[in-house]
Amino acid sequence: VYRHFDNHLDLLRESVVRCRKHFDDVIAEAAGSSDDPADAFRAAGDAYVRFAIEHQGRYRILFSNRIRLDMTDGEPPNSMTPPGGAGEAGLPAFEALLGLVVAILERNDDTRDPFFVTVQAHTWIHGTVDLIGCHPDAPWPEMESLLDGLATALRLDRS
């Protein structure tokens, strides 16, 4: 496989890009599954969790790797990047969640900062799947209850 890449870093970057695309596609499909933004947000949360559980290796590559898409041979990025890394490929999954949060907040006449609320939701979901992945035998509540709690606590359900 190395014959198809100039160096090890390029191979790793391509792996991250492919994993990111798969994740983005899964989230985009779920985010577009309903005209109701709260239902679509919930579907996206379910899809996020399913991806993390069914594709543990890819999920780890996305959120635990040290390869940044915006780095060139060890040089640090020029600016701060959103959760999960960024770079040339952007963060379509995060943007899809942000769009749903914007729609929910607008519908509910909620003036909170949509970016901040989306970061809260993302870190909550990521933390949940990460903890469950690290300690699968712990007596966790059902994921459905955890996601319902997230939506209620962040006021992202139907109000």
Side-chain angles (χ1 to χ4, degrees):
V1 72
Y2 284 108
R3 287 184 276 158
H4 301 284
F5 297 92
D6 290 337
N7 56 50
H8 179 73
L9 190 57
D10 286 346
L11 170 63
L12 292 175
R13 277 194 194 110
E14 181 63 24
S15 297
V16 172
V17 167
R18 285 178 184 253
C19 291
R20 169 74 55 202
K21 173 141 179 37
H22 184 197
F23 180 70
D24 291 340
D25 290 347
V26 166
I27 301 302
E29 182 178 342
S33 67
S34 175
D35 290 335
D36 182 288
D39 289 342
F41 180 81
R42 177 50 193 272
D46 289 338
Y48 187 112
V49 169
R50 258 190 332 276
F51 183 93
I53 292 169
E54 293 173 6
H55 306 286
Q56 291 179 15
R58 291 178 186 176
Y59 187 79
R60 286 280 166 222
I61 286 172
L62 290 176
F63 294 104
S64 299
N65 76 78
R66 293 180 183 215
I67 300 298
R68 303 279 304 258
L69 298 178
D70 53 354
M71 289 179 72
T72 56
D73 295 324
E75 295 177 24
N78 293 329
S79 63
M80 189 177 118
T81 57
E88 307 143 2
L91 292 171
F94 186 84
E95 292 295 325
L97 294 176
L98 178 61
L100 294 172
V101 169
V102 166
I104 294 167
L105 296 181
E106 286 176 356
R107 180 183 68 189
N108 295 343
D109 292 323
D110 188 328
T111 59
R112 290 179 293 159
D113 175 15
F115 179 81
F116 183 79
V117 174
T118 305
V119 169
Q120 286 180 303
H122 179 254
T123 56
W124 190 322
I125 295 170
H126 173 74
T128 300
V129 297
D130 197 44
L131 284 168
I132 290 172
C134 291
H135 306 283
D137 297 326
W140 299 106
E142 291 293 319
M143 185 58 73
E144 185 172 306
S145 297
L146 292 171
L147 290 175
D148 287 343
L150 176 153
T152 300
L154 294 179
R155 299 186 316 263
L156 296 173
D157 50 3
R158 274 190 225 92
S159 296

